[in-house]
Amino acid sequence: MRLRHTYLKRTVALIIAFIGVVVYALFMPMAIPEDGTVFYVQPGISRANLVQELAKNKCIRFTPIFGAFTLLRGKVPQSGEYLFTRWSSPYTMWKQIITGKGRYYRAFTIIPGTTFKQIKATLQDETTFKHLITEMSDKEVMEMLGDATHAPEGMFLPETYYYSRGDSDLVMLKRAYDLMASKLKEAWDGRDKDLPYKDAYHALIAASLIEEEAYLSKEQSVIGGVLVNRLRINMPLQFDPTVIYGMGDAYQGKIFKTDLTTDTPYNSYLHTGLPPTPISMPGLSAINAAMHPDQHGYLYFVAAGDGSHTFTTNLQDHKEAVLRLRETTQPSTVTGAANVES
């Protein structure tokens, strides 16, 4: 009788000890850094290999116990990156993985004034994207986005977008494209009356010019007014960034007087009206400046060297402003902010 009682006590003790170990293995927090740790669940990874990866990254303890637990749970892990926060336990980590909650999102930022060529290169350099557009032409990219009419320049809204590792670059572009379409329509619907734009796309082109010309945000609507004033009288815009864009890779930081007479579709010294496409991705403030330009009589402006511009209403005043500024700085050409040399 005593032997049986001793055996029972030992069995109970072992069971309690085992339960204690299981509870400790699954529910006690791991030594996660204060800012958390990021863990990547690869697509198609087996449950057993996933458990080994968690152990390798010191996210779990008592691997056999945790492995048995995951086997009994019978849930399929969801691929992607997860942020395990401080005080996370193996149980809460596994719960994240099987429910898809607590994912880690990365940031991708399109800066106002960025060109599509630059965006494409940045996407290519980011290894966490699934690359689908690498070998696509610009036309093919736009067709994949459902727009066979427009070139990609200007069609993606500058903003910070969040994505998960393994998301495709095409999905990222689709989000930026859709947001630009939405914001552009909203701005177009609320635009000032009697603007000299044929449609919202032409306003987007104008916004890209404003984006490139205005270093100071407070001057965007003023430059927008100059652009509108020139369009209304069919006067060449003479915006230097259009010349630079038309030069492509030939631009090496300076434009020369010969560049102003080189005929490209984007040379606004030789062609009146707007260029055929935007020349960069305009931000919302530039779009609003194109839709709500200041009303004034300015037709000219010259860069003052500190990011600001001096605005004038006639050529004589403009020439005098250039002469004044030349004493202390190196002004640009008729309207723009580029450095033009002989």
Side-chain angles (χ1 to χ4, degrees):
M1 191 68 155
R2 174 184 286 180
L3 184 61
R4 180 181 297 179
H5 181 69
T6 301
Y7 175 78
L8 183 61
K9 286 176 63 178
R10 288 179 177 176
T11 301
V12 171
L14 286 172
I15 292 173
I16 293 174
F18 177 73
I19 292 174
V21 171
V22 170
V23 169
Y24 177 75
L26 297 181
F27 297 102
M28 284 297 292
M30 299 295 295
I32 302 295
E34 187 173 351
D35 56 351
T37 188
V38 177
F39 183 81
Y40 179 47
V41 179
Q42 300 177 27
I45 190 172
S46 68
R47 181 199 58 79
N49 286 339
L50 177 55
V51 169
Q52 291 302 318
E53 285 296 314
L54 286 165
K56 187 188 300 183
N57 285 271
K58 299 181 179 180
C59 293
I60 61 173
R61 59 174 74 86
F62 296 105
T63 303
I65 292 176
F66 186 83
F69 163 74
T70 62
L71 183 62
L72 291 172
R73 292 278 291 180
K75 299 289 185 177
V76 178
Q78 298 188 29
S79 62
E81 279 186 314
Y82 294 87
L83 178 63
F84 297 150
T85 59
R86 194 180 186 189
W87 310 119
S88 291
S89 68
Y91 173 80
T92 59
M93 294 181 210
W94 185 254
K95 189 175 181 180
Q96 281 184 243
I97 291 172
I98 63 175
T99 61
K101 296 180 179 179
R103 290 182 183 272
Y104 176 73
Y105 292 100
R106 297 172 178 270
F108 180 81
T109 301
I110 299 176
I111 300 171
T114 304
T115 64
F116 182 67
K117 181 179 180 180
Q118 292 169 327
I119 292 174
K120 197 173 181 181
T122 304
L123 286 169
Q124 181 62 35
D125 290 342
E126 180 50 70
T127 58
T128 54
F129 280 115
K130 180 180 180 181
H131 296 115
L132 299 180
I133 68 170
T134 305
E135 302 301 326
M136 291 185 190
S137 67
D138 289 358
K139 185 174 185 297
E140 289 171 332
V141 170
M142 294 305 291
E143 287 175 348
M144 291 296 291
L145 296 176
D147 185 347
T149 304
H150 300 109
E153 201 68 83
M155 302 301 292
F156 306 94
L157 187 73
E159 183 59 88
T160 296
Y161 300 89
Y162 294 92
Y163 69 97
S164 293
R165 180 171 180 165
D167 287 353
S168 75
D169 47 15
L170 195 61
V171 168
M172 175 60 64
L173 288 177
K174 178 62 173 172
R175 291 174 59 197
Y177 174 86
D178 288 345
L179 189 57
M180 174 61 88
S182 173
K183 295 297 184 181
L184 181 61
K185 182 182 184 306
E186 182 180 324
W188 178 252
D189 290 344
R191 70 190 183 281
D192 290 348
K193 295 180 180 179
D194 302 322
L195 293 175
Y197 310 133
K198 296 178 182 178
D199 51 32
Y201 184 68
H202 281 83
L204 182 66
I205 297 173
S208 74
L209 271 60
I210 295 168
E211 184 68 64
E212 293 304 298
E213 282 285 13
Y215 180 78
L216 303 177
S217 58
K218 67 181 181 180
E219 289 190 349
Q220 286 184 327
S221 58
V222 185
I223 291 176
V226 175
L227 183 147
V228 165
N229 289 344
R230 287 192 166 217
L231 286 177
R232 281 176 173 154
I233 61 175
N234 203 34
M235 182 180 182
L237 294 178
Q238 298 180 318
F239 278 28
D240 292 346
T242 64
V243 177
I244 294 171
Y245 188 82
M247 292 172 65
D249 294 335
Y251 177 66
Q252 297 297 319
K254 294 180 180 179
I255 61 175
F256 298 83
K257 289 182 179 179
T258 54
D259 297 320
L260 304 183
T261 59
T262 300
D263 193 5
T264 76
Y266 292 88
N267 190 330
S268 61
Y269 283 81
L270 301 180
H271 302 283
T272 57
L274 293 165
T277 72
I279 60 174
S280 69
M281 309 296 167
L284 277 178
S285 61
I287 292 173
N288 287 328
M291 303 298 186
H292 307 282
D294 283 0
Q295 296 183 23
H296 52 60
Y298 297 139
L299 288 172
Y300 301 88
F301 58 89
V302 60
D306 61 356
S308 67
H309 294 83
T310 297
F311 297 88
T312 50
T313 60
N314 59 76
L315 184 57
Q316 182 58 40
D317 288 348
H318 171 70
K319 289 180 178 179
E320 292 176 2
V322 171
L323 288 174
R324 287 195 302 270
L325 290 167
R326 190 167 289 165
E327 297 175 359
T328 56
T329 186
Q330 292 293 322
S332 66
T333 58
V334 177
T335 58
N339 183 16
V340 179
E341 297 192 354
S342 300

